[in-house]
Amino acid sequence: MATVAVEPTKKLSTVPLDWNEVYYTNCPLVSASNVDQELGWTKEEYKKIGIQYLYLRSRAANDWYPHYIHNLDNLIRFGGLFPPVHVQADIRRTRLLGVTHVPCEGGCMMVRSRDDIYTMADLKGKKIGLSRSQNKVKTDWWGIQEDQGIELMLRLNGMTRKDVQIVEFPYPDDWYDKQEMMGPLMENPSELWLRRDHKNDLAFRPLETALLSGVIDALYTQGKVTQHLMEATGKIKAIEDLSRYPDWTLQVANIPAVITCSDVMAEKHPELAVTFMKGMIKVGRWANEHKHAAAAILDKQTFYLDVEDTYRGIKDIDLVPNLSPQNLVSVEIGKDFMLSHGYIKNDFDVHKWAAPEFLEQAARELLEAEWKKRTTAKLPETAQPLASGARLG
């Protein structure tokens, strides 16, 4: 197992390493992995090679920390940007296998709906909330996205932090290894929401109570996924929205969603990473062709208002992961903000982190399988290769 630097007093728990198993974990956001939770196509790909494909929390020995610090060699993560950037910079080496971006979710500034506040300029001298995790093992991804979004919105409106009061809200954020808080074992990430009304659970909108009670005058929320939930209460409205701007570099708030695996998996068992990417390509293509069906699945896990709101959020999104130059720059923007604001200690080259060979191999294997299926289905037997120099006619 890789060495992971954490608090000296913190004891982390993972299953013993077994390369006949692959664990996965994901965030409740737009991704092929969250669609595949209901389709099961990636599990089928692993079955073909005799590997068991398991959700991280399907085993009691795994606490939640591998989702944030990748301290499990046979784990693949598909989720928000900031934790894997923290891992690659300061904890251990990983590989960036793919990216899915939702470039219209930069975030919104929310205020009380009946307040005499209509623009960012109206916030001068007023209080904006900022979450502050006290957990020293994982990165403060929630606080980072708020910090980044607030700073961008102020700058776009000719303001700086000196024009407002930033009110920090420290919280323990220490439940990830506490049995009473981790919840029951789950075969599927969707099971987490069977016992929680996550769209109305204020644990996922932590500063909303402070806003409504008047402790603060505004808060940043990541995007339309929670903006619409807040507005539906009739008590809150948005006065700024980064997605309104044509500048795509503003749309980086713990996104893009990225796929990462350990360097150990990439180097010693590359077929496991390739197999995961095969599943993501297949599911992503299906989701692109059946956006309403994909939206119905994603609505079970994401924070859009409902299925139709989810559909509007994903209808123009490519759910097949890629490593496009534009998406890698988006990753770099997030990484650079974390570095410049002290959220990571070490810098790294995003392009060297990216490992396109796994995505390319997965796409090639899928293409070859499809070609074989389509051609041999109409032949009496598998054709033999033509001899060199042979002519047809």
Side-chain angles (χ1 to χ4, degrees):
M1 294 288 286
T3 300
V4 179
V6 297
E7 282 183 301
T9 57
K10 179 67 68 174
K11 184 178 181 180
L12 307 179
S13 176
T14 61
V15 296
L17 181 61
D18 180 354
W19 287 110
N20 292 309
E21 300 174 338
V22 168
Y23 289 88
Y24 76 98
T25 179
N26 52 34
C27 293
L29 42 66
V30 175
S31 73
S33 180
N34 277 327
V35 176
D36 186 51
Q37 290 174 188
E38 309 305 317
L39 298 181
W41 291 356
T42 306
K43 178 173 283 191
E44 291 177 0
E45 291 298 320
Y46 278 109
K47 281 186 176 181
K48 292 176 185 177
I49 61 172
I51 299 296
Q52 194 171 12
Y53 181 61
L54 302 159
Y55 181 52
L56 173 66
R57 281 292 296 151
S58 66
R59 294 290 184 267
N62 288 329
D63 59 29
W64 278 109
Y65 275 110
H67 180 79
Y68 299 96
I69 62 173
H70 228 304
N71 56 316
L72 189 60
D73 285 348
N74 55 340
L75 173 79
I76 297 179
R77 181 189 190 273
F78 197 162
L81 175 64
F82 295 147
V85 166
H86 171 230
V87 170
Q88 176 67 11
D90 296 341
I91 297 179
R92 66 169 302 175
R93 297 282 76 81
T94 58
R95 297 287 190 276
L96 177 61
L97 302 176
V99 171
T100 294
H101 200 9
V102 183
C104 54
E105 294 288 355
C108 301
M109 188 65 71
M110 313 298 291
V111 301
R112 291 177 292 272
S113 61
R114 301 300 293 162
D115 280 5
D116 190 28
I117 299 174
Y118 300 96
T119 68
M120 288 293 294
D122 293 334
L123 287 179
K124 286 188 176 179
K126 296 190 181 298
K127 299 175 181 178
I128 303 177
L130 179 62
S131 305
R132 280 295 180 223
S133 168
Q134 301 303 294
N135 192 317
K136 302 304 181 184
V137 177
K138 55 177 281 293
T139 192
D140 182 12
W141 65 269
W142 206 304
I144 300 170
Q145 66 179 16
E146 292 174 350
D147 197 5
Q148 184 183 31
I150 292 167
E151 185 173 290
L152 286 172
M153 290 181 187
L154 291 172
R155 183 175 180 182
L156 287 167
N157 289 274
M159 302 165 69
T160 69
R161 292 171 185 263
K162 294 180 180 179
D163 292 310
V164 297
Q165 300 179 57
I166 303 296
V167 180
E168 296 193 354
F169 288 81
Y171 65 107
D173 194 25
D174 60 355
W175 59 269
Y176 306 93
D177 59 346
K178 294 182 178 179
Q179 197 62 46
E180 67 276 15
M181 296 292 289
M182 288 191 294
L185 296 180
M186 294 169 279
E187 297 297 327
N188 186 313
S190 295
E191 295 177 25
L192 181 61
W193 313 124
L194 295 177
R195 300 168 180 84
R196 298 179 71 169
D197 179 11
H198 70 290
K199 293 184 189 289
N200 294 298
D201 190 334
L202 293 186
F204 300 99
R205 287 138 60 187
L207 298 182
E208 188 170 325
T209 301
L211 175 64
L212 293 176
S213 64
V215 176
I216 56 176
D217 302 297
L219 62 85
Y220 166 88
T221 192
Q222 186 175 8
K224 292 177 177 54
V225 285
T226 45
Q227 173 202 355
H228 293 167
L229 286 174
M230 291 183 184
E231 290 176 334
T233 67
K235 300 175 182 179
I236 300 174
K237 65 181 181 181
I239 60 167
E240 180 61 291
D241 180 353
L242 291 176
S243 72
R244 296 188 304 110
Y245 294 89
D247 186 347
W248 58 267
T249 67
L250 300 175
Q251 319 305 322
V252 184
N254 200 32
I255 54 175
V258 300
I259 307 170
T260 49
C261 74
S262 69
D263 57 345
V264 181
M265 178 185 290
E267 293 164 11
K268 295 185 177 181
H269 298 278
E271 72 284 356
L272 301 181
V274 170
T275 300
F276 183 85
M277 296 311 295
K278 287 170 71 174
M280 293 301 98
I281 292 171
K282 289 175 65 176
V283 173
R285 288 172 178 170
W286 180 88
N288 285 344
E289 294 173 4
H290 304 88
K291 282 290 173 64
H292 271 106
I297 294 173
L298 289 169
D299 182 60
K300 294 178 63 175
Q301 307 124 43
T302 61
F303 294 87
Y304 288 100
L305 184 62
D306 51 31
V307 173
E308 282 305 310
D309 194 38
T310 307
Y311 171 72
R312 287 189 290 271
I314 70 170
K315 66 184 179 66
D316 297 319
I317 304 304
D318 183 3
L319 273 85
V320 177
N322 64 69
L323 288 168
S324 71
Q326 186 175 358
N327 280 348
L328 289 182
V329 171
S330 294
V331 170
E332 195 171 52
I333 291 168
K335 182 265 296 181
D336 288 348
F337 179 84
M338 293 177 70
L339 183 66
S340 64
H341 288 66
Y343 291 107
I344 55 175
K345 298 175 183 177
N346 302 296
D347 198 3
F348 63 89
D349 188 329
V350 167
H351 288 268
K352 291 181 180 179
W353 187 31
E357 61 270 23
F358 296 94
L359 184 60
E360 183 178 6
Q361 180 64 26
R364 181 184 297 113
E365 290 184 13
L366 288 174
L367 182 60
E368 290 173 351
E370 184 64 21
W371 174 255
K372 183 177 180 181
K373 177 182 177 181
R374 288 177 180 243
T375 55
T376 59
K378 296 183 179 181
L379 295 172
E381 58 185 32
T382 304
Q384 296 299 316
L386 293 172
S388 177
R391 296 178 61 186
L392 299 177

